[in-house]
Structure formats: C-alpha cells, structure tokens
Amino acid sequence: MNVLILGGSGFLGTAVAQACERNGATVRVLSRSGRTAVGEGVRGDVRLPRLGLSAADLARVREETTHVVFCFGSVSWTSGPGEVLETHSSGMRSALAFLRELPGLRQAVHISSLLALGRAKGRITNRELYTGQRFRNWYEYGKYCAERLVRDTAPELPVGVVRFGPVLGPDPRGGRPDTRHGLPMVFPHLLAGYPVHLARRGEFPCWITDATSAAQIVLKALTAPIGRSTWTWFDPALPTLGEVFTEVCRPWGVVPKIVEAGPLGRLTRLIGERVGTPRELTEYTEPWFDLDVDVLKEIPEPWPVPDPDYLGATGEALRGGTERRALV
C-alpha cells in the first residue's frame, strides 16, 4: 500500500499514519505545513484544486498512491460557518475530485464523526445520516456536509465512511494533550475543582474510543476493504460521560464534581461557563442520540482491543510537557 493521508499531521491522523506504517505501507501525509511525525510530509491544501500540490509532488502522488484517508477538518465544536464550510464542504469536493485523478486507487476512507447526526431522533444505524435533525453547532453541520458529499459521490469511486465519537488517549505525537477543543476542553475545569452540570450526572454513553483502536479500524477499512460502506466504531465497553470524566481525573487524585443538570435544563446551556460548564460542552449535557450498538457487528472481526486504561493515560498525559498544538 502507498497511503496518502489528507490532514494526517493531527492527533488521529498521526495515529492512522503510525498504524499504516507498522503494517508495511508507504505513508505520505499532506498538510498545510508539510510537516509530519510519520512517513513523508508534503505541503498542500485540500481547499485548492489538485490539493495545492507542487508539480513534482503531484506527479509522484498520482503515480504512486493506492489508498487515501480523509482526516482533515476543524476539530473545534465552536467553529464558525466560514471555516467549517470552506474545509468540510469545499475541501471535500476538492478531495473527491482528486481521487478521480489516481489511476492506481484501490480504496479511500473518509473519517467522519457521529456528531454529524446532530440531534437525530429515533434509533440510529449506519444507514442514517439526515433524519430531519437539527444541529447544535456549525461543526456538526460541517461533518454532515462532508459525509453527505462522500455518500453522494459516483458509485464507481471506492470511498467508504468510518464514524467515530470523541477520540481520546495520549497524543501519539507526544506532549500534553490538546484541551482547547471538544470534550477534552472540560478536563482542566474538572481538575481545578470546578463543577460540570450534566443530565443524569453524565450516566449516558458518549461513544468514545481510544486513538489506537480507531486507527486500527481505519487500517482495516483500507485493507478489508470497506468499499462504499459505512462503519461505526466506539469502545465496546460503552463508558458513560460521567465515567470518562472520573477516569481522566483519577491519576490526579481528583473526584470530579458532576452536578445533576436536570432541574436547570435550558438554563445550564444559557449560562454555560458561569456554572462551570465549558462553552463547547454546553450543548452536550444531555444524551446525544440513540445509537444502535449492533452497528459494531458490521465491522469484520477480529476487532481491535482498546487500551484498557486509555482514559487514565489521558489524565496522566495532562501532567507533563507543553500542551500540544495541532500541526496545520
């Protein structure tokens, strides 16, 4: 395999690159900086025609690439419409167009997010994408747009979809985990002793997994191959949101202050950080959607085994080093 990873210099992209390289693949990572911790780095931009590659890089990529992973996009749940639509919509159109220029392409995989389902109602499987749902933020809508474009692309184009919820674990690039966005944004608040208000005290699934097993699922999708199917992966142990916060705080000897948000309801979302709930989490204080756990059975076995202490390892990694900033 000669794998091109678009946006492969970030947290999950690096884990995917490592998994592919360990499997014997030649790895090429495209990012705006051109830097990578794994494989060969090339400078480019998914928002530009032909990924903004130089003539020399374009010729090599066209000739050699057999597999592609889409791992680009904003990771902030509070991204604005400009950033989201430019990357997740325009960028996806550019990336899909580029696939058609690869004569040796065998399989492409788009890494999507379960948050593309927004406030979906009813039981969710791998078949559903738009269910008439509302979206909590532009991030969710952007993820929806990207997956919609992949699903609607020409049937002869071999591109499948792998969905994940929040992906945690120590950063494969080293350093302190990035707590600027998404679920990790709440960790410093909890460790500092501030309360977080959650419905049912967080006793509902948040569909998380660890970076290592997620990367193994992407590798399996490339090699099985996935074809044009959609797979969903999460930790089969189904830790609740409350358990996630408890386990991340455990290495610090801190018991997180999780307060029942039921009586506050909409008020919790309105006042947000004033009651200790970070802005990015204010719309996720209640159960997210009803996901059919049997979606896991659509992934060929054997399944990867998540690191048994990836949550504790996440908390431990918060102790040392300088906070890691994603390469872009």
Side-chain angles (χ1 to χ4, degrees):
M1 293 199 308
N2 191 301
V3 184
L4 174 66
I5 305 177
L6 307 182
S9 60
F11 172 64
L12 181 55
T14 298
V16 171
Q18 290 174 342
C20 290
E21 190 173 68
R22 284 194 295 267
N23 195 55
T26 299
V27 175
R28 184 173 285 130
V29 173
L30 180 140
S31 67
R32 292 199 294 271
S33 70
R35 299 192 298 271
T36 180
V38 183
E40 175 193 355
V42 292
R43 186 185 299 272
D45 191 330
V46 295
R47 300 168 298 179
L48 300 177
R50 294 176 174 171
L51 308 185
L53 291 166
S54 68
D57 286 339
L58 178 61
R60 288 189 304 122
V61 168
R62 274 177 170 170
E63 178 183 354
E64 299 170 4
T65 299
T66 60
H67 296 74
V68 179
V69 178
F70 296 166
C71 196
F72 59 88
S74 170
V75 296
S76 173
W77 292 356
T78 54
S79 299
E83 177 186 4
V84 164
L85 295 178
E86 184 179 32
T87 303
H88 293 281
S89 185
S90 300
M92 181 56 70
R93 293 180 189 276
S94 174
L96 289 170
F98 185 73
L99 291 187
R100 297 182 173 89
E101 299 189 29
L102 303 178
L105 180 67
R106 300 178 198 165
Q107 182 67 59
V109 174
H110 167 52
I111 298 178
S112 186
S113 170
L114 282 167
L115 295 183
L117 296 165
R119 296 184 185 275
K121 301 295 185 181
R123 178 61 59 92
I124 301 298
T125 69
N126 285 328
R127 294 186 299 275
E128 286 81 20
L129 177 56
Y130 183 65
T131 63
Q133 72 264 37
R134 293 181 296 113
F135 298 97
R136 297 174 180 86
N137 48 54
W138 283 101
Y139 171 83
E140 288 187 344
Y141 182 66
K143 288 296 187 181
Y144 165 81
C145 289
E147 185 172 334
R148 180 79 276 163
L149 287 168
V150 170
R151 287 177 173 232
D152 288 347
T153 196
E156 65 271 14
L157 203 59
V159 53
V161 175
V162 176
R163 291 170 167 174
F164 300 118
V167 180
L168 300 179
D171 195 317
R173 301 164 296 177
R176 189 171 180 268
D178 189 344
T179 57
R180 293 174 299 165
H181 306 296
L183 202 58
M185 195 176 185
V186 76
F187 299 158
H189 290 250
L190 291 171
L191 293 171
Y194 294 109
V196 170
H197 293 69
L198 301 174
R200 298 178 0 209
R201 296 178 59 87
E203 292 305 306
F204 53 84
C206 57
W207 315 108
I208 65 161
T209 191
D210 66 312
T212 301
S213 70
Q216 288 295 323
I217 289 294
V218 175
L219 177 60
K220 182 182 284 287
L222 291 172
T223 58
I226 191 174
R228 288 181 55 83
S229 299
T230 297
W231 292 353
T232 298
W233 174 253
F234 47 83
D235 183 346
L238 281 180
T240 66
L241 186 58
E243 289 170 340
V244 169
F245 292 163
T246 298
E247 288 301 303
V248 169
C249 291
R250 177 173 48 82
W252 293 73
V254 171
V255 177
K257 294 179 181 177
I258 303 175
V259 180
E260 171 59 54
L264 297 177
R266 179 172 169 78
L267 179 61
T268 300
R269 294 194 293 273
L270 290 175
I271 61 179
E273 292 185 50
R274 297 182 186 178
V275 294
T277 302
R279 180 185 174 195
E280 296 205 25
L281 192 63
T282 54
E283 292 291 338
Y284 298 91
T285 58
E286 300 175 354
W288 301 355
F289 38 71
D290 180 15
L291 179 63
D292 186 346
V293 296
D294 283 344
V295 293
L296 290 179
K297 296 179 180 178
E298 298 182 30
I299 300 174
E301 296 190 30
W303 298 339
V305 178
D307 180 339
D309 192 32
Y310 67 94
L311 296 175
T314 301
E316 188 63 41
L318 288 168
R319 287 181 174 276
T322 302
E323 184 161 350
R324 185 70 186 222
R325 303 305 187 192
L327 297 172
V328 293

